[in-house]
Amino acid sequence: MARQEQVLLLEPQHELKFRGPFTDVVTSTLKLANPTDRNICFKVKTTAPRRYCVRPNSGVIDAGTSINVSVMLQPFDYDPNEKSKHKFMVQSLLAPPDMTDMEGLWKEAKPEELMDSKLRCVFELPAENEKMQHDMDSNKILSSSLLKSDSSTLSMKSLSSSLDDGEVKRIMEECKRLQLEVQRLREENKQIRDDDGLRMRKSTMMHSSSLASSSSSAPRAVLKEEGLNIRVLALVVLFFVIGVVVGKLLL
């Protein structure tokens, strides 16, 4: 005996479309409507149960009402050869007025009492022109970012270069000033030594005041010479440190 014609109205009628990319869950909605005056039991089955999550996958549709079934495709690596393999089937059965056990009703149902509709799955990838436009927009954004980055880098290098040149110029001027100061101190030290030598010669000629003169002038000369030597040594060390700094900046 032939099966009954499906009384449920399916939307869509023949295909469940899933639009990629399939790196996340993709959901397609199947609407089941009952235009009759009787309650109808339904079941939703698939040839790839591990790939899909169906909610609800069974139940009762009251007379004159409808229900939305969410068919959720799980993430997977897309293979074009699989797009015609996955199929769904919606089975339905007229529910008796006094139904209490739906599972028992399905088990006891005769083949000629069952109604079914089949749908195939269609996998759709984003349109090629959309992909190309997306790639072009991405390239434009990347190019703009690179140009801004290069401009910022050049500006920073120019600023850093100008700051280094100014710093080097200031240090060179300071070194020149220190050189002049060292030269002045050397001449002053030489003059003091000449004056002390002349004073010592005069004191030798004057026997009566030689002891007093030598005891007072010699220590003063030694103290002055030691003070000048310490100042010269400090300036020389400072000049050496500044020279090392200048050398590192120039490298």
Side-chain angles (χ1 to χ4, degrees):
M1 188 173 179
R3 285 174 178 261
Q4 295 188 46
E5 186 178 353
Q6 178 68 270
V7 295
L8 292 179
L9 300 178
L10 279 64
E11 184 182 345
Q13 295 181 354
H14 306 292
E15 293 180 343
L16 284 175
K17 294 183 179 181
F18 300 90
R19 185 174 179 82
F22 304 103
T23 56
D24 201 352
V25 175
V26 181
T27 302
S28 181
T29 301
L30 173 63
K31 182 179 180 180
L32 305 178
N34 178 9
T36 71
D37 57 357
R38 292 183 59 180
N39 294 346
I40 297 179
C41 299
F42 76 93
K43 281 187 176 182
V44 180
K45 299 180 179 180
T46 177
T47 57
R50 294 185 179 181
R51 291 287 186 88
Y52 299 89
C53 181
V54 182
R55 293 290 183 275
N57 60 1
S58 63
V60 179
I61 306 175
D62 294 335
T65 63
S66 63
I67 188 172
N68 288 328
V69 177
S70 296
V71 182
M72 292 165 279
L73 173 63
Q74 303 305 302
F76 74 107
D77 294 329
Y78 175 68
D79 183 357
N81 297 323
E82 287 188 323
K83 61 183 176 182
S84 61
K85 291 182 179 181
H86 298 175
K87 294 180 181 179
F88 276 82
M89 181 173 68
V90 178
Q91 281 188 328
S92 60
L93 176 66
L94 292 174
D98 56 349
M99 182 189 67
T100 57
D101 183 9
M102 186 173 63
E103 288 299 325
L105 179 65
W106 281 106
K107 291 179 181 179
E108 296 175 0
K110 298 178 181 180
E112 59 270 16
E113 295 177 339
L114 299 176
M115 299 169 283
D116 60 61
S117 299
K118 295 180 180 180
L119 301 94
R120 68 188 187 94
C121 297
V122 177
F123 300 153
E124 295 180 345
L125 289 175
E128 190 64 21
N129 58 347
E130 293 181 5
K131 184 177 183 298
M132 291 178 61
Q133 183 65 33
H134 180 267
D135 293 342
M136 290 176 63
D137 293 341
S138 299
N139 290 335
K140 287 181 180 179
I141 294 174
L142 180 60
S143 299
S144 177
S145 300
L146 289 175
L147 288 175
K148 290 181 180 179
S149 177
D150 292 343
S151 177
S152 301
T153 302
L154 290 175
S155 299
M156 291 299 294
K157 286 184 178 180
S158 177
L159 179 61
S160 177
S161 178
S162 62
L163 289 175
D164 291 344
D165 292 342
E167 188 70 15
V168 171
K169 183 177 180 181
R170 186 186 67 80
I171 293 176
M172 292 300 291
E173 291 176 353
E174 183 68 17
C175 290
K176 185 176 181 180
R177 187 187 67 79
L178 290 175
Q179 285 180 339
L180 294 176
E181 181 69 16
V182 170
Q183 182 65 27
R184 186 185 67 79
L185 290 174
R186 285 177 179 174
E187 293 177 355
E188 183 178 346
N189 189 34
K190 181 180 179 182
Q191 183 66 34
I192 291 174
R193 286 180 179 179
D194 292 341
D195 292 343
D196 288 343
L198 180 61
R199 190 180 297 108
M200 289 295 293
R201 286 194 296 272
K202 288 182 179 180
S203 63
T204 302
M205 294 173 62
M206 300 176 64
H207 179 70
S208 60
S209 60
S210 61
L211 294 176
S213 176
S214 61
S215 62
S216 61
S217 62
R220 287 198 301 270
V222 172
L223 289 174
K224 286 183 180 181
E225 184 174 358
E226 288 180 353
L228 289 173
N229 287 336
I230 292 173
R231 291 180 61 188
V232 172
L233 179 60
L235 289 173
V236 169
V237 171
L238 178 61
F239 176 71
F240 175 76
V241 172
I242 293 175
V244 171
V245 174
V246 172
K248 290 184 176 180
L249 288 176
L250 293 178
L251 290 176

